[in-house]
Amino acid sequence: MNQDFSIVAGAVCFGLLLLQVPATFILLSRLFKGPFRQPPLSPLSPTPDLIGAVSVVVPTLNEAKRISPCLAGLSRQSYEVREIIIVDSYSQDATPDLVKEIQQKDPRFRLINDDPLPKDWVGRPWALHNGFLYSSEESEWILGIDADTQPQPGLVASLVKTAEAQGYDLVSLSPQFILQYPGEWWLQPALLMTLLYRFDPAGTNNQSPERVMANGQCFLCRRSVLAALGGYTSARSSFCDDVTLARYAATQGYKVGFLDGAKVIKVRMYEGMAQTWKEWGRSLDLKDAASFSQILGDLWLLLSVQALPLLIVFTYLLISPFFSVSAFSLVLLLRLNLFLVVIRFALLFAIAPSYDRTNSKSNWTFWLSPLADPLAFLRILLSSLNKPTQWRGRIYEKKQKT
């Protein structure tokens, strides 16, 4: 029986090696770019040539509990910001009141309501599109900012100067995340790692258009380019409109950048582990911006290098006392997965600056986040198989194309 088990185990190990080895080489080719990436943006002061260069657009829907830091942060931006347009989708809470309150102190704020949502649009790109249409034609840049962000002083000047210096037509930033509870600190880094494994690190050279990354929480685009693209119409039915629009822009020949903004913008996305699982995990698959073959390829990669390594190592530790298996394929498989586990834990130090630890006493679970990797893969898999029917309080028809 032990001999039969050894034969079966050897065959399984060989199959897993065929699955994991190519994925490991792809992962390493991406991670090796990390040391050569552009450093995080630093806050900068504006110069006279930037006066009134930017119109900021903030889409809102029942954001009263978290929009105040965003409004305060935008108000602290200097004269490079011409106007700050809050596009409210008829919130039922105090969101409009908070905007009107800060408007009394800063006349750059404007509160408008978007038109009724068309059937083929998702709420967020529709609000952003309305904000673009109502923005001043004198502004050279349009900056989309989410209500859950906390812009730091010098954000807008730094972003525009970087875009102009490096010739970007569209550029977005990865933020520094604010987490509070142990469950968040355990799950969220594992979900974030699914992006790092699938794409090049922020601040590296762009890949082919279909692999471009973007983040709509802080999304800057030349007004002339956005007009040429038809505003947000190309991303109207997408639940990851930022990536959809960025990839469409790249296919049209525009230069798109995705940079590290941990020093200039923070974000408090969700409250607790359950909300993180439900809301953020639902959009991380990026299926609205990818082909079916891309989705399958990403799932294969995540299964091979993120979900399986710890499971394989733990399985070996459980069965090794009961069975004597010394096949070469098993030894090679074990070493490969130990190598992947070491890489995964080492990456915790690489992503640590992406998290704000100043106000959380539960961040120790961050160092255990690799244990959540199988769950992170499961979340991406489930999201890839299902189309959202609810998002930010809106209900969408199941037959809607996304």
Side-chain angles (χ1 to χ4, degrees):
M1 182 175 178
N2 190 52
Q3 184 178 2
D4 293 338
F5 175 80
S6 298
I7 294 174
V8 173
V12 171
C13 292
F14 184 73
L16 288 171
L17 284 170
L18 290 178
L19 182 76
Q20 289 186 288
V21 169
T24 300
F25 280 106
I26 293 175
L27 174 64
L28 292 176
S29 71
R30 292 170 179 165
L31 296 182
F32 282 151
K33 298 178 183 179
F36 306 101
R37 70 191 187 106
Q38 181 176 324
L41 270 65
S42 296
L44 294 176
S45 300
T47 48
D49 59 299
L50 294 184
I51 294 177
V54 182
S55 288
V56 179
V57 178
V58 184
T60 60
L61 176 59
N62 299 325
E63 303 284 1
K65 293 182 179 179
R66 56 182 183 173
I67 196 175
S68 292
C70 178
L71 298 178
L74 289 174
S75 186
R76 287 194 293 268
Q77 305 303 309
S78 192
Y79 54 73
E80 71 277 11
V81 174
R82 177 185 299 273
E83 58 187 353
I84 305 165
I85 305 171
I86 311 299
V87 185
D88 188 64
S89 299
Y90 297 93
S91 295
Q92 300 301 306
D93 62 6
T95 299
D97 297 329
L98 292 172
V99 177
K100 292 175 183 177
E101 181 180 339
I102 199 168
Q103 192 176 23
Q104 300 299 317
K105 305 173 184 177
D106 190 337
R108 292 178 298 175
F109 283 89
R110 283 203 292 149
L111 176 65
I112 67 172
N113 293 113
D114 51 5
D115 295 331
L117 183 67
K119 289 185 177 180
D120 60 339
W121 281 78
V122 171
R124 186 178 182 279
W126 176 244
L128 289 166
H129 186 71
N130 277 262
F132 163 65
L133 295 178
Y134 279 94
S135 64
S136 171
E137 294 184 0
E138 299 298 318
S139 295
E140 184 181 353
W141 297 90
I142 303 295
L143 174 60
I145 290 284
D146 276 3
D148 56 5
T149 61
Q150 299 180 15
Q152 304 300 297
L155 160 68
V156 179
S158 176
L159 190 54
V160 174
K161 285 186 175 183
T162 300
E164 292 183 342
Q166 301 186 22
Y168 288 119
D169 299 298
L170 187 159
V171 62
S172 60
L173 301 181
S174 63
Q176 186 178 69
F177 297 97
I178 301 173
L179 307 180
Q180 291 185 4
Y181 306 111
E184 294 175 69
W185 280 105
W186 182 66
L187 177 63
Q188 204 267 12
L191 291 171
L192 177 64
M193 196 60 62
T194 67
L195 293 175
L196 184 59
Y197 275 22
R198 284 180 286 168
F199 304 100
D200 286 347
T204 54
N205 293 329
N206 288 337
Q207 300 175 321
S208 56
E210 64 271 13
R211 303 301 298 178
V212 161
M213 261 302 293
N215 179 23
Q217 293 169 328
C218 184
F219 191 95
L220 180 76
C221 187
R222 293 185 189 273
R223 180 183 178 83
S224 59
V225 171
L226 197 54
L229 296 174
Y232 281 78
T233 55
S234 63
R236 61 182 176 272
S237 61
S238 175
F239 286 93
C240 57
D241 55 272
D242 44 8
V243 180
T244 300
L245 182 59
R247 291 181 178 178
Y248 177 63
T251 62
Q252 301 304 303
Y254 296 109
K255 186 176 180 180
V256 178
F258 180 55
L259 306 177
D260 188 341
K263 294 182 178 180
V264 292
I265 187 167
K266 300 182 180 183
V267 61
R268 172 72 178 144
M269 292 174 65
Y270 303 115
E271 294 292 329
M273 179 178 171
Q275 195 176 80
T276 301
W277 170 273
K278 178 182 177 181
E279 299 293 346
W280 199 35
R282 181 162 48 184
S283 61
L284 276 177
D285 59 82
L286 306 180
K287 60 178 175 290
D288 292 349
S291 65
F292 181 68
S293 60
Q294 285 179 282
I295 296 171
L296 287 180
D298 286 344
L299 289 173
W300 159 68
L301 182 77
L302 293 178
L303 174 66
S304 301
V305 298
Q306 186 174 6
L308 286 178
L310 274 174
L311 295 178
I312 289 173
V313 172
F314 286 154
T315 300
Y316 173 80
L317 294 176
L318 287 174
I319 68 172
S320 59
F322 305 101
F323 298 95
S324 176
V325 182
S326 58
F328 175 75
S329 57
L330 174 60
V331 175
L332 188 59
L333 180 68
L334 181 62
R335 290 179 178 179
L336 174 64
N337 284 277
L338 285 172
F339 174 66
L340 290 170
V341 169
V342 169
I343 287 177
R344 176 62 178 88
F345 276 92
L347 284 173
L348 289 174
F349 294 94
I351 68 171
S354 297
Y355 293 90
D356 183 352
R357 290 176 168 75
T358 56
N359 296 314
S360 175
K361 298 181 180 179
S362 305
N363 56 49
W364 62 271
T365 55
F366 168 81
W367 303 104
L368 301 179
S369 63
L371 300 178
D373 280 358
L375 279 179
F377 167 75
L378 176 63
R379 188 63 188 93
I380 301 300
L381 175 63
L382 294 174
S383 183
S384 299
L385 298 175
N386 295 283
K387 296 180 179 180
T389 57
Q390 296 184 24
W391 190 262
R392 293 295 190 187
R394 296 181 188 267
I395 299 177
Y396 298 92
E397 297 179 5
K398 291 185 178 180
K399 295 183 179 180
Q400 177 179 322
K401 293 181 179 181
T402 59

